[in-house]
Amino acid sequence: GEIVRRADGSPSGALLESAQALVEAATPRLTHADRVAGGRGALELFRAHGITWVQDAMSQPEDVEAFLDLAGSDATLPRAGIALHADPDHWQEQRPAFAAAREKARTARNGNRVKVETIKFFADGIIETGTAAVIDEYSDHPGYHGIANRTRAGLREAVMAFDGDGFQIHIHAIGDAGIRNALDAIEATISRHGHRDRRATIAHAQLVHPDDLSRFVALGVIANFEPLWARLNPTMVELTIPRLGEKRSAWQYPIGTLLATGARVSFGSDWPVTSLNPMEGIAVAVTRQTSDGDPAGGWLPDERIDLDTAIDLYTAAGAYQSFEERDVGRIAAGLRADLVLLGADLDRTAPLDLGAVPIEMVWIDGAVVAG
């Protein structure tokens, strides 16, 4: 991490990556009631947008208690998959508590509505703040390669350990060096522990080096994208592209390319960082344009996907990532009736208008829960 300072050495007020722990240590602790109240508000918001399963990708064991009290006891709320965050410095001490949290969820009588089977790692930060780990230096900062949250060896050791504990691996990796380190860690884990249906996931996968594109399918790694980010919005134009330069900028969010290799892809939101509305993400995945239609033909148009594929990546692909494809994710006899009714026929909706299509009704297990 880093405390960002002014030219005179005084702190600017910005804390990068793990430097935020300096403030968190002095922040009042959330009570269980706080977690339950906040969790209910979040789950109700997701439900209103037609989402029937969510993954909280940065939890601690105390959050599991709140989710069990919420999604585990209220069948009108979305189900939850919990990814426990492994701290770079203290992950070894966390292992017993993480295993206990998993067992608590497994033995709770909650109809499998809350699962604690995943460990979340951060390989790096984000490009816009210059904290994503990149192979070549940042274009606007000669000699600087970002911040890797763990060393290559440290990430590999932690991933191997939690994989050995039977957890699914979920790694935040945005820069091409961060993504390469994540793929290396998963590859080393497979070599150590052998092949199994582990469904390791790399979240965001923003800047994938061309040499690493084929490794996703070779290693069975799921690329979990936020399609809403794959557009020329002010963040991309003013912050991201100037840091990467034109050549590397063209490597971003290779959704179409990875699908063409046969790799598994899923979609998410990263809420509350950006909108949780899947319809907005679908609109960008199909057009690679802003809501104003810029640029004409789409940004990196070869990475566009068709409407049916975009829907699949928000539904069946998410079910696969969460090991629930035998129960949910498609409309088929014998599967749970988790359904959403939209306010328009998507096949007759202009692609740029897809983001504004409203949610009319939502069912969970066949019961109307919204609308």
Side-chain angles (χ1 to χ4, degrees), residues 58 71 80-81 86 99 112 125 136 139 155 161-162 172 174 249 293 301-302 320 325:
M58 196 171 174
N112 209 30
D136 295 322
S139 297
L155 179 61
F162 282 110
H172 163 118
I174 281 186
S249 292
D302 289 346
Y320 177 84
E325 74 276 12

Side-chain angles (χ1 to χ4, degrees), residues 202-217:
I202 293 180
H204 315 313
Q206 179 172 347
L207 184 71
V208 185
H209 192 284
D211 291 347
D212 291 321
L213 288 167
S214 63
R215 299 181 68 195
F216 282 81
V217 66

Side-chain angles (χ1 to χ4, degrees), residues 27-364:
T27 303
R29 298 278 294 177
L30 289 175
T31 66
H32 179 70
D34 292 332
R35 295 176 189 276
V36 169
R40 178 172 291 280
L43 291 174
E44 289 175 348
L45 184 62
F46 274 98
R47 181 180 64 190
H49 284 83
I51 298 166
T52 61
W53 177 88
V54 300
Q55 181 175 55
D56 187 337
M58 196 171 174
S59 288
Q60 292 299 325
E62 52 264 37
D63 297 309
V64 174
E65 300 283 350
F67 275 108
L68 287 171
D69 281 356
L70 285 164
S73 61
D74 187 344
T76 71
L77 293 173
R79 297 174 185 82
I82 310 302
L84 298 168
H85 174 228
D87 184 273
D89 298 320
H90 306 289
W91 63 268
Q92 291 172 317
E93 303 100 282
Q94 290 176 308
R95 288 172 71 184
F98 286 3
R102 175 176 59 184
E103 186 61 21
K104 186 176 185 64
R106 286 179 175 178
T107 57
R109 295 184 177 181
N110 69 88
N112 209 30
R113 295 183 54 79
V114 178
K115 296 170 65 175
V116 185
E117 303 289 339
T118 306
I119 302 297
K120 167 70 174 291
F121 304 85
F122 281 88
D124 62 354
I126 62 174
I127 291 167
E128 292 72 30
T129 59
T131 55
V134 293
I135 295 171
D136 295 322
E137 64 189 17
Y138 276 91
S139 297
D140 63 343
H141 195 161
Y144 179 67
H145 294 262
I147 299 176
N149 285 21
R150 303 164 186 263
T151 65
R152 180 174 177 270
L155 179 61
R156 184 173 64 243
E157 180 186 6
V159 167
M160 283 183 176
F162 282 110
D163 180 85
D165 291 341
F167 282 102
Q168 181 187 27
I169 302 303
H170 189 104
I171 306 175
H172 163 118
I174 281 186
D176 53 357
I179 293 168
R180 180 167 293 177
N181 288 344
L183 290 167
D184 288 348
I186 295 166
E187 184 173 42
T189 297
I190 294 171
S191 297
R192 171 73 63 83
H193 296 149
H195 289 275
R196 66 176 175 86
D197 187 14
R198 49 177 43 89
R199 304 187 193 184
T201 301
I202 293 180
H204 315 313
Q206 179 172 347
L207 184 71
V208 185
H209 192 284
D211 291 347
D212 291 321
L213 288 167
S214 63
R215 299 181 68 195
F216 282 81
V217 66
L219 297 172
V221 173
I222 301 168
N224 176 248
F225 287 105
E226 285 61 47
L228 187 63
W229 300 351
R231 56 180 176 164
L232 288 179
N233 62 359
T235 298
M236 179 64 69
V237 173
E238 298 170 18
L239 294 177
T240 314
I241 292 177
R243 291 192 185 280
L244 295 178
E246 292 298 327
K247 178 182 177 181
R248 281 184 298 182
S249 292
W251 299 349
Q252 293 185 85
Y253 305 113
I255 300 171
T257 296
L258 278 178
L259 285 170
T261 69
R264 293 276 188 175
V265 172
S266 65
F267 279 170
S269 71
D270 206 44
W271 182 85
V273 173
T274 49
S275 172
L276 55 76
N277 186 351
M279 299 311 303
E280 295 178 14
I282 287 173
V284 176
V286 170
T287 66
R288 302 280 289 209
Q289 293 174 305
T290 66
S291 58
D292 295 328
D294 294 325
W299 174 61
L300 306 177
D302 289 346
E303 301 299 344
R304 293 176 300 182
I305 59 176
D306 62 59
L307 177 60
D308 287 346
T309 301
I311 294 171
D312 183 76
L313 298 184
Y314 268 118
T315 53
Y320 177 84
Q321 181 182 317
S322 60
F323 289 86
E324 294 194 351
E325 74 276 12
R326 295 183 180 180
D327 299 316
V328 73
R330 297 173 293 112
I331 300 176
L335 273 63
R336 292 198 304 256
D338 288 5
L339 306 168
V340 57
L341 176 66
L342 302 176
D345 181 343
L346 300 191
D347 288 321
R348 298 184 180 184
T349 301
L352 284 176
D353 294 335
L354 290 169
V357 173
I359 306 298
E360 298 287 346
M361 295 180 72
V362 182
W363 290 259
I364 293 178

